[in-house]
Amino acid sequence: MDTPVLLVMDVQRGIVERFAEDPGYLQRLAGAITAARGAGVPVVYVIIGFRPGHPEISARNRTFSALAAAGRFVEGAPAAEIHPAVAPGLGDLVVTKRRVSAFTGSDLDVVLRGLGAGTLVLTGIATSGVVLSTLRQAADLDYQLVVLADACLDADPEVHRVLTEKVFPRQAEVFTVAQWAGQQASP
């Protein structure tokens, strides 16, 4: 099958707060979610989460050991919650990951196979983190890929631009939310 699936990745309170300089981001992302639901495209939220005490994180992991030291993103903590402006709806799925890629430490691949997914539509924070890592792994798993450039954010706008304009098009189609939503509305 070639069912498209919209992935909404790492749009959690503690992450969104770090990217507050783009006030239109959540509205654009909500538009993509609405378009997906309206077209019958499954929406899968991918969140980062850890058990209390962070037993999943090795001290050798530079990125995540800082999260563990700060006690961040423990499952059920307010910072780990999906931002309410784009909260899951009835029938949406939530997958918890343990590393940067949406696939690592999660059951995402099993969920996608169960949904009959062939095309992944990627959104999330950060472009140079979860979006890049997930895109690369998904390409290796032979998924067709779409990136919604304005439904991705990065702390560095130039890195975001280079990824969405130069790197991602090698492995994915890159659209704006409006372009993609327009395609979903077409019969």
Side-chain angles (χ1 to χ4, degrees):
M1 294 176 102
D2 187 25
T3 301
V5 174
L6 177 68
L7 297 183
V8 179
M9 303 181 291
D10 291 3
V11 186
Q12 295 162 263
R13 286 181 184 263
I15 296 171
V16 171
E17 290 169 3
R18 294 179 39 220
F19 292 85
E21 66 276 358
D22 185 346
Y25 174 74
L26 291 172
Q27 183 177 359
R28 290 189 306 274
L29 181 58
I33 294 166
T34 298
R37 290 176 183 150
V41 172
V43 179
V44 177
Y45 291 79
V46 179
I47 61 171
I48 186 81
F50 304 102
R51 293 173 183 89
H54 297 79
E56 306 89 347
I57 300 176
S58 164
R60 295 182 305 274
N61 186 310
R62 288 180 70 177
T63 301
F64 289 102
S65 62
L67 290 176
R72 307 261 335 223
F73 296 103
V74 173
E75 293 171 336
E81 294 174 0
I82 296 168
H83 196 282
V86 292
L90 188 63
D92 294 342
L93 301 171
V94 178
V95 170
T96 301
K97 66 185 179 92
R98 310 296 181 184
R99 291 293 184 270
V100 179
S101 170
F103 291 97
T104 305
S106 77
D107 62 351
L108 179 61
D109 192 47
V110 172
V111 168
L112 294 173
R113 282 187 276 131
L115 293 172
T119 301
L120 305 183
V121 182
L122 306 181
T123 68
I125 306 171
T127 312
S128 61
V130 68
V131 178
L132 173 61
S133 295
T134 302
L135 180 138
R136 294 293 199 197
Q137 194 165 357
D140 283 346
L141 294 170
D142 298 325
Y143 287 101
Q144 292 184 10
L145 297 164
V146 172
V147 175
L148 302 184
D150 59 343
C152 299
L153 279 182
D154 199 88
D156 185 329
E158 180 62 10
V159 169
H160 173 82
R161 185 192 69 75
V162 168
L163 287 171
T164 58
E165 293 179 11
K166 297 181 180 282
V167 177
F168 292 170
R170 295 177 185 160
Q171 294 179 297
E173 293 184 79
V174 179
F175 297 114
T176 65
V177 170
Q179 290 168 327
W180 183 77
Q183 290 177 355
Q184 302 317 298
S186 300

